[in-house]
Amino acid sequence: MAKIIAGIGTSHVPAIGVAVDQGLTQEPYWKPLFDGYGPVRDWMAQAKPDVVILVYNDHCVAFSPASIPTFAIGVGDEFKPADEGWGPRPVPVVKGDSALSWHLAESLVLDEFDLTIMNQMEVDHGLTVPLSITCGQPKEWPFKVVPIEVNVVLFPQPTGRRCFALGRAIRKAVEAYPEDLRVVVFGTGGMSHQIHGERAGLINKAWDTAFLDDLTADPQRLTAMPHVEYMREAGAEGIEMIMWLIMRGALGDDTKEVYRHYHVPASNTAAGLIVLENR
Ligand code: DHB
Ligand code: FE
């Protein structure tokens, strides 16, 4: 049977992808951030997942702002990097696991999570930067990816509680899949950041630290957090953190934090990363 072995939460700051693509990771500005990514790359190389279920948000790149699904799942065999204005990132095409995606789609819809089914979909920095952070620059990504897209860019966004429940339903679906697959779930985006308006540049280290602590210790506190608290404490784009709760919901009650990295600055954003093993 398929099994979720771990969850990874990570920021997706586009400038991190640019630093990788342009060979800047050893520059003084970027080195402390990338030094902290070494252990997670080692962990991934050892864990060797067959599939990553990658929960992410599109930034009105592949989806037009005219129609953004609250939740969507990519069911294709591949997902091409999207052109965000400077051409697509020079990274490998993301390979899907269509059979697992369709299994998840069916199980989730029958569990009353009405995800939009995406037969074709391009993927922006929200999906490709977490791959670069955890894998570096391989010729091919070393696992298949099932993309699950969440609307965090247009009002109204789903609640943290709904995201956590979706994670639980993902776990149930994975555990009912007959193939012996090692699955890691990624929750991406965040951490505290605001990239526009009067509060642009807002970072809240105390709030970010408490969020990372409670992913393991008290996820129920996080699922009860209202959107206005994300906005006030973590900046307008801090709402991306609700996607980490899907990852957390997909893990069991007994999880162990095995690695954490937190660094400011990364562009306008507090970059965070956490690895949680399922026990
Ligand atoms: C930045 C962060 C994001 O999450 C994003 O989607 C775009 C830009 C930034 O900090 O520059
Ligand atoms: Fe973002």
Side-chain angles (χ1 to χ4, degrees), residues 136-158:
Q137 291 178 291
K139 282 213 168 59
E140 302 286 336
W141 300 118
F143 40 73
K144 292 178 174 174
V145 174
V146 171
I148 295 192
E149 184 274 347
V150 182
N151 168 37
V152 294
V153 294
L154 292 184
F155 182 83
Q157 297 92 350

PDB file of all heavy atoms in Angstrom, residues 136-158:
ATOM      1  N   GLY A 136      17.831  20.809  -5.416  1.00  0.00           N
ATOM      2  CA  GLY A 136      18.916  21.450  -6.156  1.00  0.00           C
ATOM      3  C   GLY A 136      18.613  21.491  -7.647  1.00  0.00           C
ATOM      4  O   GLY A 136      17.507  21.839  -8.042  1.00  0.00           O
ATOM      5  N   GLN A 137      19.615  21.115  -8.466  1.00  0.00           N
ATOM      6  CA  GLN A 137      19.474  21.232  -9.929  1.00  0.00           C
ATOM      7  C   GLN A 137      19.684  19.905 -10.650  1.00  0.00           C
ATOM      8  O   GLN A 137      20.606  19.771 -11.454  1.00  0.00           O
ATOM      9  CB  GLN A 137      20.473  22.257 -10.456  1.00  0.00           C
ATOM     10  CG  GLN A 137      20.161  23.687 -10.041  1.00  0.00           C
ATOM     11  CD  GLN A 137      21.201  24.653 -10.547  1.00  0.00           C
ATOM     12  OE1 GLN A 137      22.333  24.658 -10.098  1.00  0.00           O
ATOM     13  NE2 GLN A 137      20.817  25.495 -11.495  1.00  0.00           N
ATOM     14  N   PRO A 138      18.847  18.902 -10.389  1.00  0.00           N
ATOM     15  CA  PRO A 138      19.008  17.626 -11.100  1.00  0.00           C
ATOM     16  C   PRO A 138      18.538  17.748 -12.559  1.00  0.00           C
ATOM     17  O   PRO A 138      17.815  18.674 -12.900  1.00  0.00           O
ATOM     18  CB  PRO A 138      18.082  16.686 -10.323  1.00  0.00           C
ATOM     19  CG  PRO A 138      17.019  17.590  -9.776  1.00  0.00           C
ATOM     20  CD  PRO A 138      17.675  18.916  -9.510  1.00  0.00           C
ATOM     21  N   LYS A 139      18.999  16.780 -13.414  1.00  0.00           N
ATOM     22  CA  LYS A 139      18.545  16.772 -14.828  1.00  0.00           C
ATOM     23  C   LYS A 139      17.045  16.465 -14.913  1.00  0.00           C
ATOM     24  O   LYS A 139      16.340  16.999 -15.770  1.00  0.00           O
ATOM     25  CB  LYS A 139      19.324  15.711 -15.611  1.00  0.00           C
ATOM     26  CG  LYS A 139      20.719  16.155 -15.989  1.00  0.00           C
ATOM     27  CD  LYS A 139      21.131  15.543 -17.340  1.00  0.00           C
ATOM     28  CE  LYS A 139      22.393  16.182 -17.878  1.00  0.00           C
ATOM     29  NZ  LYS A 139      23.539  16.020 -16.937  1.00  0.00           N
ATOM     30  N   GLU A 140      16.589  15.550 -14.045  1.00  0.00           N
ATOM     31  CA  GLU A 140      15.161  15.222 -13.943  1.00  0.00           C
ATOM     32  C   GLU A 140      14.807  15.321 -12.459  1.00  0.00           C
ATOM     33  O   GLU A 140      15.616  14.953 -11.613  1.00  0.00           O
ATOM     34  CB  GLU A 140      14.890  13.772 -14.373  1.00  0.00           C
ATOM     35  CG  GLU A 140      15.327  13.430 -15.786  1.00  0.00           C
ATOM     36  CD  GLU A 140      14.403  14.030 -16.826  1.00  0.00           C
ATOM     37  OE1 GLU A 140      13.217  14.307 -16.475  1.00  0.00           O
ATOM     38  OE2 GLU A 140      14.856  14.263 -17.961  1.00  0.00           O
ATOM     39  N   TRP A 141      13.610  15.726 -12.127  1.00  0.00           N
ATOM     40  CA  TRP A 141      13.189  15.680 -10.721  1.00  0.00           C
ATOM     41  C   TRP A 141      13.138  14.212 -10.294  1.00  0.00           C
ATOM     42  O   TRP A 141      12.645  13.362 -11.056  1.00  0.00           O
ATOM     43  CB  TRP A 141      11.819  16.338 -10.535  1.00  0.00           C
ATOM     44  CG  TRP A 141      11.787  17.778 -10.934  1.00  0.00           C
ATOM     45  CD1 TRP A 141      11.030  18.346 -11.916  1.00  0.00           C
ATOM     46  CD2 TRP A 141      12.570  18.857 -10.374  1.00  0.00           C
ATOM     47  NE1 TRP A 141      11.283  19.704 -11.997  1.00  0.00           N
ATOM     48  CE2 TRP A 141      12.228  20.045 -11.066  1.00  0.00           C
ATOM     49  CE3 TRP A 141      13.532  18.937  -9.356  1.00  0.00           C
ATOM     50  CZ2 TRP A 141      12.811  21.278 -10.776  1.00  0.00           C
ATOM     51  CZ3 TRP A 141      14.101  20.175  -9.064  1.00  0.00           C
ATOM     52  CH2 TRP A 141      13.741  21.321  -9.768  1.00  0.00           C
ATOM     53  N   PRO A 142      13.631  13.890  -9.091  1.00  0.00           N
ATOM     54  CA  PRO A 142      13.803  12.479  -8.717  1.00  0.00           C
ATOM     55  C   PRO A 142      12.527  11.778  -8.229  1.00  0.00           C
ATOM     56  O   PRO A 142      12.626  10.681  -7.678  1.00  0.00           O
ATOM     57  CB  PRO A 142      14.849  12.548  -7.593  1.00  0.00           C
ATOM     58  CG  PRO A 142      14.697  13.910  -7.018  1.00  0.00           C
ATOM     59  CD  PRO A 142      14.238  14.816  -8.124  1.00  0.00           C
ATOM     60  N   PHE A 143      11.379  12.383  -8.407  1.00  0.00           N
ATOM     61  CA  PHE A 143      10.112  11.747  -8.008  1.00  0.00           C
ATOM     62  C   PHE A 143       9.010  12.342  -8.875  1.00  0.00           C
ATOM     63  O   PHE A 143       9.198  13.372  -9.533  1.00  0.00           O
ATOM     64  CB  PHE A 143       9.812  11.991  -6.523  1.00  0.00           C
ATOM     65  CG  PHE A 143      10.144  13.392  -6.060  1.00  0.00           C
ATOM     66  CD1 PHE A 143       9.359  14.475  -6.430  1.00  0.00           C
ATOM     67  CD2 PHE A 143      11.273  13.632  -5.270  1.00  0.00           C
ATOM     68  CE1 PHE A 143       9.676  15.757  -6.024  1.00  0.00           C
ATOM     69  CE2 PHE A 143      11.601  14.927  -4.864  1.00  0.00           C
ATOM     70  CZ  PHE A 143      10.803  15.986  -5.240  1.00  0.00           C
ATOM     71  N   LYS A 144       7.869  11.645  -8.885  1.00  0.00           N
ATOM     72  CA  LYS A 144       6.699  12.205  -9.558  1.00  0.00           C
ATOM     73  C   LYS A 144       5.991  13.181  -8.618  1.00  0.00           C
ATOM     74  O   LYS A 144       6.175  13.104  -7.395  1.00  0.00           O
ATOM     75  CB  LYS A 144       5.765  11.075  -9.981  1.00  0.00           C
ATOM     76  CG  LYS A 144       6.380  10.226 -11.089  1.00  0.00           C
ATOM     77  CD  LYS A 144       5.485   9.083 -11.461  1.00  0.00           C
ATOM     78  CE  LYS A 144       6.066   8.351 -12.671  1.00  0.00           C
ATOM     79  NZ  LYS A 144       5.274   7.140 -12.961  1.00  0.00           N
ATOM     80  N   VAL A 145       5.208  14.063  -9.193  1.00  0.00           N
ATOM     81  CA  VAL A 145       4.550  15.100  -8.401  1.00  0.00           C
ATOM     82  C   VAL A 145       3.050  15.104  -8.709  1.00  0.00           C
ATOM     83  O   VAL A 145       2.648  15.109  -9.876  1.00  0.00           O
ATOM     84  CB  VAL A 145       5.138  16.496  -8.729  1.00  0.00           C
ATOM     85  CG1 VAL A 145       4.353  17.590  -8.005  1.00  0.00           C
ATOM     86  CG2 VAL A 145       6.619  16.566  -8.342  1.00  0.00           C
ATOM     87  N   VAL A 146       2.245  15.072  -7.649  1.00  0.00           N
ATOM     88  CA  VAL A 146       0.802  15.310  -7.784  1.00  0.00           C
ATOM     89  C   VAL A 146       0.552  16.727  -7.268  1.00  0.00           C
ATOM     90  O   VAL A 146       0.676  16.983  -6.064  1.00  0.00           O
ATOM     91  CB  VAL A 146      -0.025  14.293  -6.973  1.00  0.00           C
ATOM     92  CG1 VAL A 146      -1.498  14.714  -6.949  1.00  0.00           C
ATOM     93  CG2 VAL A 146       0.119  12.898  -7.555  1.00  0.00           C
ATOM     94  N   PRO A 147       0.246  17.681  -8.154  1.00  0.00           N
ATOM     95  CA  PRO A 147       0.031  19.056  -7.700  1.00  0.00           C
ATOM     96  C   PRO A 147      -1.382  19.277  -7.189  1.00  0.00           C
ATOM     97  O   PRO A 147      -2.350  18.896  -7.843  1.00  0.00           O
ATOM     98  CB  PRO A 147       0.250  19.897  -8.975  1.00  0.00           C
ATOM     99  CG  PRO A 147       0.506  18.954 -10.104  1.00  0.00           C
ATOM    100  CD  PRO A 147       0.166  17.563  -9.634  1.00  0.00           C
ATOM    101  N   ILE A 148      -1.472  19.863  -6.013  1.00  0.00           N
ATOM    102  CA  ILE A 148      -2.775  20.290  -5.483  1.00  0.00           C
ATOM    103  C   ILE A 148      -2.711  21.795  -5.273  1.00  0.00           C
ATOM    104  O   ILE A 148      -1.891  22.291  -4.488  1.00  0.00           O
ATOM    105  CB  ILE A 148      -3.138  19.546  -4.189  1.00  0.00           C
ATOM    106  CG1 ILE A 148      -3.312  18.055  -4.519  1.00  0.00           C
ATOM    107  CG2 ILE A 148      -4.409  20.146  -3.555  1.00  0.00           C
ATOM    108  CD1 ILE A 148      -3.937  17.215  -3.449  1.00  0.00           C
ATOM    109  N   GLU A 149      -3.534  22.502  -6.015  1.00  0.00           N
ATOM    110  CA  GLU A 149      -3.508  23.974  -6.018  1.00  0.00           C
ATOM    111  C   GLU A 149      -4.573  24.499  -5.061  1.00  0.00           C
ATOM    112  O   GLU A 149      -5.675  23.945  -4.967  1.00  0.00           O
ATOM    113  CB  GLU A 149      -3.769  24.469  -7.449  1.00  0.00           C
ATOM    114  CG  GLU A 149      -3.683  25.966  -7.632  1.00  0.00           C
ATOM    115  CD  GLU A 149      -4.972  26.701  -7.339  1.00  0.00           C
ATOM    116  OE1 GLU A 149      -6.056  26.068  -7.223  1.00  0.00           O
ATOM    117  OE2 GLU A 149      -4.915  27.935  -7.194  1.00  0.00           O
ATOM    118  N   VAL A 150      -4.238  25.565  -4.341  1.00  0.00           N
ATOM    119  CA  VAL A 150      -5.146  26.180  -3.370  1.00  0.00           C
ATOM    120  C   VAL A 150      -5.243  27.676  -3.675  1.00  0.00           C
ATOM    121  O   VAL A 150      -4.224  28.328  -3.906  1.00  0.00           O
ATOM    122  CB  VAL A 150      -4.611  25.991  -1.925  1.00  0.00           C
ATOM    123  CG1 VAL A 150      -5.578  26.583  -0.904  1.00  0.00           C
ATOM    124  CG2 VAL A 150      -4.358  24.524  -1.620  1.00  0.00           C
ATOM    125  N   ASN A 151      -6.447  28.198  -3.645  1.00  0.00           N
ATOM    126  CA  ASN A 151      -6.596  29.652  -3.826  1.00  0.00           C
ATOM    127  C   ASN A 151      -6.229  30.381  -2.550  1.00  0.00           C
ATOM    128  O   ASN A 151      -6.950  30.304  -1.546  1.00  0.00           O
ATOM    129  CB  ASN A 151      -8.028  30.016  -4.207  1.00  0.00           C
ATOM    130  CG  ASN A 151      -8.244  31.525  -4.113  1.00  0.00           C
ATOM    131  OD1 ASN A 151      -7.345  32.298  -4.444  1.00  0.00           O
ATOM    132  ND2 ASN A 151      -9.409  31.926  -3.637  1.00  0.00           N
ATOM    133  N   VAL A 152      -5.091  31.100  -2.575  1.00  0.00           N
ATOM    134  CA  VAL A 152      -4.784  32.017  -1.468  1.00  0.00           C
ATOM    135  C   VAL A 152      -4.595  33.434  -2.007  1.00  0.00           C
ATOM    136  O   VAL A 152      -4.139  34.306  -1.282  1.00  0.00           O
ATOM    137  CB  VAL A 152      -3.519  31.580  -0.684  1.00  0.00           C
ATOM    138  CG1 VAL A 152      -3.740  30.269   0.038  1.00  0.00           C
ATOM    139  CG2 VAL A 152      -2.304  31.480  -1.591  1.00  0.00           C
ATOM    140  N   VAL A 153      -4.947  33.630  -3.295  1.00  0.00           N
ATOM    141  CA  VAL A 153      -4.658  34.937  -3.896  1.00  0.00           C
ATOM    142  C   VAL A 153      -5.888  35.817  -4.085  1.00  0.00           C
ATOM    143  O   VAL A 153      -5.760  37.024  -4.224  1.00  0.00           O
ATOM    144  CB  VAL A 153      -3.909  34.787  -5.244  1.00  0.00           C
ATOM    145  CG1 VAL A 153      -2.527  34.192  -5.016  1.00  0.00           C
ATOM    146  CG2 VAL A 153      -4.678  33.959  -6.245  1.00  0.00           C
ATOM    147  N   LEU A 154      -7.065  35.233  -4.135  1.00  0.00           N
ATOM    148  CA  LEU A 154      -8.284  36.034  -4.281  1.00  0.00           C
ATOM    149  C   LEU A 154      -9.217  35.755  -3.113  1.00  0.00           C
ATOM    150  O   LEU A 154      -9.311  34.622  -2.639  1.00  0.00           O
ATOM    151  CB  LEU A 154      -9.012  35.688  -5.588  1.00  0.00           C
ATOM    152  CG  LEU A 154      -8.339  36.078  -6.908  1.00  0.00           C
ATOM    153  CD1 LEU A 154      -9.258  35.743  -8.066  1.00  0.00           C
ATOM    154  CD2 LEU A 154      -7.981  37.558  -6.937  1.00  0.00           C
ATOM    155  N   PHE A 155      -9.908  36.793  -2.645  1.00  0.00           N
ATOM    156  CA  PHE A 155     -10.921  36.631  -1.600  1.00  0.00           C
ATOM    157  C   PHE A 155     -12.127  35.882  -2.176  1.00  0.00           C
ATOM    158  O   PHE A 155     -12.526  36.162  -3.302  1.00  0.00           O
ATOM    159  CB  PHE A 155     -11.346  38.026  -1.105  1.00  0.00           C
ATOM    160  CG  PHE A 155     -12.339  37.979   0.005  1.00  0.00           C
ATOM    161  CD1 PHE A 155     -11.933  37.807   1.313  1.00  0.00           C
ATOM    162  CD2 PHE A 155     -13.701  38.072  -0.268  1.00  0.00           C
ATOM    163  CE1 PHE A 155     -12.860  37.750   2.337  1.00  0.00           C
ATOM    164  CE2 PHE A 155     -14.630  38.004   0.751  1.00  0.00           C
ATOM    165  CZ  PHE A 155     -14.207  37.835   2.051  1.00  0.00           C
ATOM    166  N   PRO A 156     -12.727  34.941  -1.447  1.00  0.00           N
ATOM    167  CA  PRO A 156     -12.379  34.459  -0.110  1.00  0.00           C
ATOM    168  C   PRO A 156     -11.566  33.156  -0.178  1.00  0.00           C
ATOM    169  O   PRO A 156     -11.843  32.293  -1.008  1.00  0.00           O
ATOM    170  CB  PRO A 156     -13.754  34.178   0.494  1.00  0.00           C
ATOM    171  CG  PRO A 156     -14.588  33.737  -0.684  1.00  0.00           C
ATOM    172  CD  PRO A 156     -14.045  34.427  -1.889  1.00  0.00           C
ATOM    173  N   GLN A 157     -10.616  33.039   0.715  1.00  0.00           N
ATOM    174  CA  GLN A 157      -9.784  31.835   0.770  1.00  0.00           C
ATOM    175  C   GLN A 157     -10.419  30.788   1.700  1.00  0.00           C
ATOM    176  O   GLN A 157     -11.215  31.132   2.566  1.00  0.00           O
ATOM    177  CB  GLN A 157      -8.387  32.186   1.316  1.00  0.00           C
ATOM    178  CG  GLN A 157      -7.602  33.140   0.445  1.00  0.00           C
ATOM    179  CD  GLN A 157      -7.798  34.597   0.820  1.00  0.00           C
ATOM    180  OE1 GLN A 157      -8.656  34.941   1.625  1.00  0.00           O
ATOM    181  NE2 GLN A 157      -6.994  35.463   0.242  1.00  0.00           N
ATOM    182  N   PRO A 158     -10.034  29.512   1.540  1.00  0.00           N
ATOM    183  CA  PRO A 158     -10.569  28.492   2.459  1.00  0.00           C
ATOM    184  C   PRO A 158      -9.997  28.672   3.873  1.00  0.00           C
ATOM    185  O   PRO A 158      -8.941  29.272   4.045  1.00  0.00           O
ATOM    186  CB  PRO A 158     -10.093  27.175   1.846  1.00  0.00           C
ATOM    187  CG  PRO A 158      -8.900  27.529   1.017  1.00  0.00           C
ATOM    188  CD  PRO A 158      -9.117  28.939   0.540  1.00  0.00           C
TER     189      PRO A 158
END
